[in-house]
Amino acid sequence: MTHESLENLDPTSRATATDDLRDRVSAAFPALRADLEALVRIPSVSAPAFDQAHVAASAAAVADLLGAAGMPDVRLLTATRADGVVSRPAVVARRPAPAGAPTVLLYAHHDVQPPGRDEDWRSAPFEPTERDGRLYGRGAADDKAGVVAHLGALRVLGEDLPVGVTVFVEGEEEIGSPTFVDFLTQHRDLLQADVIVVADSTNWKVGVPALTTSLRGLVDCEVEVAVLEHAVHSGMYGGPVLDAPTLLARLIATLHDDDGAVAVAGLTSADEPAVDLPEEAFRTDASVLDGVRLAGSGTLTGRMWTKPALSVIGIDATSVAQASNTIAPRARAKLSLRIPPGQDPVEAAAALRAHLEGHAPFGARVTVVDGELGKAFRSPVDSAAMRTARQAFADAWGTEPVDIGVGGSIPFIADLLEVFPDAAILVTGVEDPDSRAHGADESVHLGELEKVVLAEALLLSRLGAAGPAD
Ligand SMILES: [Zn+2]
């Protein structure tokens, strides 16, 4: 099948090839699961306060697994930024493309988020534990299951792999991939690919696969409101002058309209998504308290994926414990703005700044310090690689995949597009809405993970059929 194009493959031979791979995946799965458990036992938290020896150990473990899976060229690599910062170790494992075949880059990351408090977990975060068909542990889903998905596809295809493959397993995604562009640039020749498969997102729900076709970008800033040179007695001077926290609260209140929609002029929205969530499911997932009304309008998915969202993520003011009868002279907040595909982060930051400066309550001094800028992502509606992926997903799950957005950002996706503008990017994942990535009781659904492995094996076998120029 590897030298015919997918469109020419009749449904019967496609089904036979799928069944054959499905059997191979199910035979390979117990060993893959054991490898996932071994990876979860390595507490590879990339946050600087944690022991980075574990991150090095997980990189080495991933390199060993890829070498044992038959990748002939496996390297542990770092990159150095202009300011001297050296990246955490990444693994790059390569197998060159057969003549005329495309090369596929398979991305995942081996670092994890801090575990949080042990008492919030039902079982210890770094001791993988199965309950009800799910494997619990920090990194069990995000993103060591992504590593295992790539590993599994390579194992079951073995010598039948019809494409060139480069596996790229990063070690600092959870701290925002700070040296990513440097890494891509310094190792460009190793990473060059026709198709990029990112396994770090989510499926729609258990039983329904998804391609992630849009991601919101992120703009943040700090805003300070100042009203006095110094604190004064609130009894002596209170009345003619409002304290800075009150004025900051009034300023923050202008950021949304009465329905709770973002009210900053110049921010845009993208089209409503094709799928929506029932309100009850959203309320349960987000733990919304009874009686609390939801903000904004339109589909819930649109509010999370294709419209802006603005949150106050920190406030500096006198703490309650330190409170005294004074009028506070200044107060500060950090704002986090999610922007939909189609909006430029520089423009969005300027719009937010203009709004804050233009709504200074009572003429208070408003100072805005710009923070991070992350681009939104929207994949092309259709491409040969996406059609092949959708068919592979449909065959693996027995149901059509849906296109989803994700409200959060994956900043490195924009970097990948920038360094490799001609590559087709497929954003896939192993998570489902119950995976609780970054939270306590993170887990992967083992039945879904097996389907992810099958889907990726089908995808790789069929991308070989399509040829590099398709
Ligand atoms: Zn991740």
Short mmCIF file of all heavy atoms in Angstrom, two decimals, residues 109 142-143 173-174 200, ligand 1:
data_model
loop_
_atom_site.label_atom_id
_atom_site.label_comp_id
_atom_site.label_asym_id
_atom_site.label_seq_id
_atom_site.Cartn_x
_atom_site.Cartn_y
_atom_site.Cartn_z
N HIS A 109 6.83 16.43 24.40
CA HIS A 109 7.80 16.93 25.39
C HIS A 109 7.86 15.98 26.58
O HIS A 109 6.86 15.34 26.94
CB HIS A 109 7.49 18.36 25.83
CG HIS A 109 6.16 18.58 26.48
ND1 HIS A 109 5.98 18.44 27.83
CD2 HIS A 109 4.95 18.93 25.98
CE1 HIS A 109 4.72 18.71 28.14
NE2 HIS A 109 4.07 19.01 27.03
N ASP A 142 0.15 14.54 29.81
CA ASP A 142 0.88 15.71 29.30
C ASP A 142 2.34 15.67 29.72
O ASP A 142 2.66 16.09 30.80
CB ASP A 142 0.17 16.97 29.81
CG ASP A 142 0.79 18.25 29.33
OD1 ASP A 142 1.60 18.22 28.38
OD2 ASP A 142 0.49 19.31 29.92
N ASP A 143 3.27 15.19 28.94
CA ASP A 143 2.99 14.76 27.58
C ASP A 143 3.73 13.45 27.33
O ASP A 143 4.12 13.15 26.21
CB ASP A 143 3.43 15.88 26.62
CG ASP A 143 3.09 15.59 25.17
OD1 ASP A 143 2.09 14.90 24.93
OD2 ASP A 143 3.84 16.02 24.29
N GLU A 173 8.91 22.48 27.63
CA GLU A 173 7.62 23.03 27.17
C GLU A 173 6.85 23.63 28.32
O GLU A 173 6.20 24.65 28.18
CB GLU A 173 6.80 21.93 26.49
CG GLU A 173 5.65 22.47 25.64
CD GLU A 173 4.39 22.81 26.43
OE1 GLU A 173 4.21 22.30 27.54
OE2 GLU A 173 3.58 23.60 25.93
N GLU A 174 6.92 23.00 29.48
CA GLU A 174 6.10 23.44 30.61
C GLU A 174 6.62 24.73 31.25
O GLU A 174 5.97 25.28 32.13
CB GLU A 174 5.98 22.33 31.66
CG GLU A 174 5.32 21.05 31.14
CD GLU A 174 3.84 21.20 30.75
OE1 GLU A 174 3.34 22.34 30.77
OE2 GLU A 174 3.23 20.18 30.42
N ASP A 200 0.37 17.01 21.60
CA ASP A 200 0.37 17.70 22.90
C ASP A 200 -0.95 18.42 23.13
O ASP A 200 -1.01 19.39 23.86
CB ASP A 200 1.54 18.70 22.97
CG ASP A 200 1.78 19.20 24.39
OD1 ASP A 200 1.38 18.51 25.34
OD2 ASP A 200 2.36 20.29 24.54
ZN ZN B 1 2.05 19.53 27.11
#
